[in-house]
Amino acid sequence: MKQRKRRMLSGMQPSGRMHLGNLLGALDNWIKYQQDYDAYFFVADWHALSTNYADTSHLRDYIREMLIDWLSAGIDPEKCTLFIQSRVPEHAVLYLLLSMITPVPWLERNPTYKEQMEELRDRDLTTYGFLGYPVLQSADILIYKADVVPVGVDQLPHLELTRELARRFSNLYKAVFPEPQPLLTEVPKLLGTDGRKMSKSYNNAIYLSDPEKDVREKLRTMVTDPARVRRTDRGNPDICPVFSYHKIFSEIGVIDRVNTECRTAEIGCIDCKKWVADRMVRRLEPIWTERQKWTKHPKKVEAVVTEGSEKAGKAARQTLEEVREAMKI
Ligand code: TRP
Ligand code: SF4
């Protein structure tokens, strides 16, 4: 008999258009896993409120843009379940029930909580919702009885709390939830065009939706080894962000060539950048083609998430039934 696929779940906050860092860091893995798992992927729009509650003006656009990016990059609604968190209100019910058994100190000692508080000093994050963020995330995961959750290292404390809550629930009532395992994936940290980490807030990102001429222009003006000013100066690829792109996008022959001929000034930065731009454009072309289709048919995007959210709701309601039974409510 064919073994049942293990269930996978992951979500992302809608932060607008996806950049290459998001593609390599998360999306590519989701795409890779979607056939081997019973995969559920969702837009965590409620989570976005935890830090952005004061300005929701872009939220709907961000959700739509992110979905189009996912679909264009290769998230296939035939293979996985794609939905929006707020369209499955069952998450909120489990969130409430879990909140009853969550000791506040568990939340207060979460390192991500403290870090974000420090980082986002411009907003008031003393809210109940922000503190409870990982409880909502636990509900997202447990309501589907997910076996695996592909995430970055920054999310590990949240996963740990999810497991602790699953155990606490079992001890208090009944074993309803499996303990989900994080699926950590080796991801190259992608640098932005200024050499810092690629990030929307640094204004150094290359977006999946950038037109070809913007991609080329961003690469043309990208920072290189700052010591290499003139064509005749020898460069050091090890400290050049352009070379870090080569290592990701180029063929081994080109990587080797840049690695040696930059150091001897046999090649110049203009050519070097053009080679990597060509590769990057090749990588992005199929995404651009797909994007056109989805952008032209917004109703199709809507249909995908409507269907996905209904399917997710069904699975969520099943678990909730068991939860109510276990808690005798
Ligand atoms: N906290 C995650 C992030 O910021 C998003 C998220 C919300 C999530 N719920 C989840 C990820 C459940 C995995 C599983 O990236
Ligand atoms: Fe960077 Fe390439 Fe110029 Fe060397 S030749 S400094 S790797 S852009």
Side-chain angles (χ1 to χ4, degrees), residues 223-225 228 235-237 240-243 246 258 261-263 267-270 272-273:
V223 302
T224 59
D225 170 2
R228 190 169 188 202
N236 179 3
C240 176
V242 177
F243 187 57
H246 273 293
V258 171
E261 298 186 6
C262 165
R263 295 176 203 277
I267 58 164
C269 295
I270 296 174
C272 179
K273 286 170 156 184

Side-chain angles (χ1 to χ4, degrees), residues 42-74:
F42 72 100
V43 181
D45 55 344
W46 280 340
H47 275 109
L49 293 176
S50 70
T51 45
N52 297 305
Y53 61 86
D55 179 10
T56 57
S57 55
H58 302 293
L59 194 54
R60 285 187 179 163
D61 287 340
Y62 284 179
I63 294 169
R64 191 178 37 84
E65 278 165 11
M66 196 159 82
L67 283 167
I68 290 179
D69 276 332
W70 289 5
L71 290 163
S72 311

Side-chain angles (χ1 to χ4, degrees), residues 5-24:
K5 282 184 184 174
R6 297 211 300 158
R7 185 163 286 174
M8 165 176 283
L9 173 113
S10 199
M12 246 187 249
Q13 288 191 39
S15 53
R17 300 187 295 150
M18 307 255 97
H19 55 62
L20 276 175
N22 304 132
L23 178 70
L24 301 173

Side-chain angles (χ1 to χ4, degrees), residues 13 47-53 95 107 110 112-118 120 124-135 158:
Q13 288 191 39
H47 275 109
L49 293 176
S50 70
T51 45
N52 297 305
Y53 61 86
Y95 167 59
L107 302 174
N110 183 319
T112 317
Y113 177 65
K114 293 182 209 154
E115 275 163 33
Q116 283 230 310
M117 278 272 208
E118 282 297 311
L120 305 172
D124 179 1
L125 294 182
T126 62
T127 56
Y128 173 55
F130 185 64
L131 179 67
Y133 182 110
V135 184
H158 296 161

Side-chain angles (χ1 to χ4, degrees), residues 85-143:
Q85 184 183 36
S86 64
R87 301 234 194 139
V88 188
E90 285 79 4
H91 289 223
V93 178
L94 185 59
Y95 167 59
L96 178 142
L97 295 173
L98 291 176
S99 79
M100 299 298 171
I101 66 167
T102 309
V104 172
W106 287 13
L107 302 174
E108 285 169 335
R109 71 171 185 229
N110 183 319
T112 317
Y113 177 65
K114 293 182 209 154
E115 275 163 33
Q116 283 230 310
M117 278 272 208
E118 282 297 311
E119 230 170 83
L120 305 172
R121 281 183 168 280
D122 57 326
R123 18 204 141 156
D124 179 1
L125 294 182
T126 62
T127 56
Y128 173 55
F130 185 64
L131 179 67
Y133 182 110
V135 184
L136 180 57
Q137 183 161 349
S138 301
D140 296 338
I141 297 167
L142 297 177
I143 204 157

Side-chain angles (χ1 to χ4, degrees), residues 24-35:
L24 301 173
L27 216 45
D28 265 351
N29 285 316
W30 290 11
I31 293 161
K32 202 169 68 199
Y33 296 137
Q34 64 185 346
Q35 27 232 344

